[in-house]
Amino acid sequence: MSSCFVPNGASLEDCHSNIFCLADLTGIKWRRFVWQGPTSSPILFPVTEEDPILCSFSRCLAADVLSVWRRHHTPGRRELWLFWWGDDPSFAELIHNELSSEEDGEWESGLSYECRTLLFKAIHNLLERCLMNRGFVRIGKWFVKPYQKEEKIINKR
């Protein structure tokens, strides 16, 4: 991670907004939940309200649990990753009963590049939600705060 201030766009370590260069994350823990999906062909995904991954992800967002979901390279399989610091919380009311906990870990035993990338994505999503809730607008990859007519002009240039 010594090259985290030289951007080349090739890896997480080279990203300017790499949170791993900025913070001590030694207490972080994670858990991966999996939904196998239907075993029959063709693969049909449930309606959004009935989707176990998206339903659980939505509950985690509402409970301020750092989380991210993704499709697995195996067709029909999806994963939900949860991250937290400190004591293990109870996720019983957040996680759909069709999901199974497949893997968990902590910083001390090492975080794979895949896990660090998903943690970064979860943190990025959290920052984006915070900015949007505070009135910022996204333009491409940038966030700007629109000028309010009632605001005092600080600089006329």
Side-chain angles (χ1 to χ4, degrees):
M1 283 197 209
S2 61
S3 65
C4 63
F5 297 111
V6 182
N8 69 8
S11 72
L12 182 60
E13 283 81 8
D14 297 329
C15 182
H16 276 297
S17 59
N18 186 350
I19 194 78
F20 305 109
C21 290
L22 304 174
D24 178 24
L25 300 176
T26 56
I28 195 161
K29 297 177 183 177
W30 59 272
R31 185 168 297 147
R32 178 169 53 121
F33 292 91
V34 177
W35 182 62
Q36 297 294 340
T39 56
S40 61
S41 276
I43 297 170
L44 298 173
F45 293 105
V47 181
T48 305
E49 298 87 29
E50 299 169 359
D51 187 319
I53 291 287
L54 296 180
C55 180
S56 299
F57 178 66
S58 166
R59 290 180 199 159
C60 289
L61 290 180
D64 292 328
V65 174
L66 195 58
S67 57
V68 65
W69 75 274
R70 71 172 185 165
R71 288 183 180 90
H72 195 265
H73 54 71
T74 306
R77 182 174 162 161
R78 298 188 216 170
E79 302 174 338
L80 176 66
W81 292 66
L82 305 180
F83 301 94
W84 70 94
W85 288 264
D87 297 331
D88 292 0
S90 172
F91 296 121
E93 66 278 354
L94 301 176
I95 303 303
H96 196 278
N97 59 1
E98 291 182 31
L99 299 183
S100 59
S101 176
E102 190 166 277
E103 188 178 7
D104 58 356
E106 55 188 39
W107 186 271
E108 284 81 24
S109 58
L111 263 68
S112 66
Y113 182 77
E114 172 188 43
C115 185
R116 288 183 285 143
T117 303
L118 290 168
L119 173 61
F120 180 79
K121 183 178 177 184
I123 292 171
H124 182 269
N125 290 343
L126 175 68
L127 292 172
E128 182 176 354
R129 278 194 322 274
C130 288
L131 289 171
M132 298 296 259
N133 288 339
R134 287 177 172 76
F136 283 78
V137 175
R138 184 175 186 161
I139 301 176
K141 65 178 184 176
W142 302 99
F143 290 90
V144 295
K145 181 119 184 190
Y147 171 73
Q148 301 294 326
K149 205 170 191 177
E150 300 83 34
E151 290 180 11
K152 182 180 176 183
I153 299 174
I154 297 173
N155 189 353
K156 293 185 180 184
R157 284 190 254 168

